[in-house]
Amino acid sequence: MPAQINEEFLKRLEDQLSRQGNWPAVYMFKFIIADSNRDYALLRSLFGDEARIFTRHSSGGKYISVTVKEMMLSPSEIVERYRKASLIEGIIAL
């Protein structure tokens, strides 16, 4: 079952990002996913080829921390990425 997305949180995030700066800008996403090639491939597919992606495996080997830096055109584009990511089972967005 896909993770439930908190629309209230996303609305607040979009409002805050809109007030914070000039767009486009580089935005840093952080996620934790199960150590699964499938989950990583799904998450990777949400971002363009120009995105810088960094991964780190947990000490127990069950999870992967994924940091993505990519040029985003607007806060609404960021929120849409979070919505798409929430469809990956068990994902945690930080």
Side-chain angles (χ1 to χ4, degrees), residues 13 52 64 68 71-72 91:
L13 175 64
R52 296 182 61 203
I64 303 172
V68 181
M71 182 67 69
M72 295 282 107
I91 194 168

Side-chain angles (χ1 to χ4, degrees), residues 5 15-16 19-20 23 25-26 30-31 35 41 44 46 57 67 70 79 82 84 86 93:
I5 191 158
D15 289 345
Q16 181 182 25
R19 289 190 307 265
Q20 267 184 349
W23 297 95
V26 174
K30 288 188 166 253
F31 302 98
D35 189 357
R44 176 65 185 94
L46 299 178
H57 293 265
T67 302
E70 186 174 21
V79 168
Y82 279 119
K84 289 178 180 178
S86 74

Side-chain angles (χ1 to χ4, degrees), residues 10 13 15 18 37 40 58 94:
L10 291 178
L13 175 64
D15 289 345
S18 294
N37 288 337
Y40 179 74
S58 65
L94 304 173

Side-chain angles (χ1 to χ4, degrees), residues 17-74:
L17 291 172
S18 294
R19 289 190 307 265
Q20 267 184 349
N22 299 322
W23 297 95
V26 174
Y27 185 79
M28 183 171 62
F29 296 87
K30 288 188 166 253
F31 302 98
I32 297 174
I33 57 173
D35 189 357
S36 152
N37 288 337
R38 179 184 177 279
D39 289 348
Y40 179 74
L42 288 170
L43 183 58
R44 176 65 185 94
S45 72
L46 299 178
F47 297 94
D49 292 335
E50 68 284 350
R52 296 182 61 203
I53 299 177
F54 307 92
T55 60
R56 196 172 94 201
H57 293 265
S58 65
S59 59
K62 292 183 179 183
Y63 301 98
I64 303 172
S65 169
V66 181
T67 302
V68 181
K69 291 183 179 182
E70 186 174 21
M71 182 67 69
M72 295 282 107
L73 299 177
S74 67

